[in-house]
Amino acid sequence: EARFLDSGRHQPGFLEEVGRTLKEYGHWRGDFWARRKSGEVFVARLALSAIRDDQGRVTTIVGIFSDITEEKEQEAAIKHLANHDPLTGLPNRRLLHDRLSQALADRHREPPERNRLALYFVDLDDFKRVNDCFGHEKGDQALREMAHRILETLREGDTVARFGGDEFVILAKHLPSQKATEDLARKISAVIGEPLSLEGNGCSEGGPIKIAASIGIVMAPTHGDDTDTLLDRADHAMYRSKEAGKSCYHFF
């Protein structure tokens, strides 16, 4: 057994399985974690072939080895771009849809006290004014800051996604009550409303500005039990908040 195959990262029995495959079929090919002499672990691809003598005994094992770390990093980067917003680094619509679908499927396997989830549709009020006053570069900076603030309010296991433009959608699971759902909405409003400093203000006397948000809330299973219905109704509830004067939250 080659020691570089024994990186310590494989499942128990990995090396034994490689040996059995070589013995039975005469070849093995796969990607694995290898270890350099320095101790560094990296991703490699290896093709092994067993050479047998006239009696059928394995006398030599020939291998073709390649370091595919860069290839795997590129694959990971492409996958990340496909599922995340390039500006904020948050999950995008596609990943949100997947996580919401999974959360709804998991909900049916959980006890009633843990199967409640809420969806928050957050739209930053009058954000066009920020872009008009400061320029799109500063507007992007503001969006990144809002994304960070929202992310900081959430619990482990919750998701905030950039839905597009100045819209964010939050998926919160295992909320114990409607009060907890409203408490989170108030926290989100509060962190978004904290003063934000942006240079290049062309619309006021200067100094920090405040951004507000209109929030629409739906709960599963109360307001629906599939992704499209919940997203559509959360969006509708958000527009109810806009109609009510903005800077507030509204349940569907």
Side-chain angles (χ1 to χ4, degrees), residues 64-135:
I64 300 176
F65 172 90
S66 57
D67 183 341
I68 59 168
T69 303
E70 185 175 344
E71 177 185 329
K72 289 296 184 181
E73 288 175 348
Q74 290 174 350
E75 288 177 2
I78 292 170
K79 183 178 180 180
H80 183 85
L81 286 173
N83 291 288
H84 292 80
D85 169 52
L87 176 65
T88 63
L90 294 178
N92 59 16
R93 287 189 185 210
R94 176 180 174 178
L95 185 52
L96 170 70
H97 197 282
D98 288 347
R99 290 187 179 178
L100 179 55
S101 296
Q102 187 60 56
L104 289 170
D106 292 343
R107 194 183 65 76
H108 295 293
R109 296 191 289 268
E110 295 177 337
E113 65 272 13
R114 283 183 56 82
N115 72 1
R116 183 188 291 107
L117 63 85
L119 206 63
Y120 302 76
F121 202 112
V122 180
D123 183 274
L124 303 181
D125 294 330
D126 303 317
F127 194 78
K128 182 178 181 297
R129 182 174 175 272
V130 176
N131 283 325
D132 291 343
C133 291
F134 296 92

Side-chain angles (χ1 to χ4, degrees), residues 72 107 130 150-151 158 168 181 196 204 242 244:
K72 289 296 184 181
R107 194 183 65 76
V130 176
I150 295 171
L151 190 60
D158 293 342
F168 299 89
T181 306
L196 175 66
S204 69
K242 294 281 188 187

Side-chain angles (χ1 to χ4, degrees), residues 1 15 30 37 62 99 130 149 152 166 196 198 208 220 247:
E1 296 179 353
L15 295 178
K37 289 182 179 180
V62 178
R99 290 187 179 178
V130 176
R149 291 181 182 185
E152 288 293 298
D166 55 6
L196 175 66
L198 292 174
S247 189

Side-chain angles (χ1 to χ4, degrees), residues 185-217:
R186 284 189 284 267
K187 287 180 182 178
I188 294 166
S189 293
V191 297
I192 289 175
E194 292 174 0
L196 175 66
S197 295
L198 292 174
E199 297 178 0
N201 190 343
C203 303
S204 69
E205 296 299 325
I209 64 168
K210 287 189 175 182
I211 296 174
S214 298
I215 303 175
I217 309 171

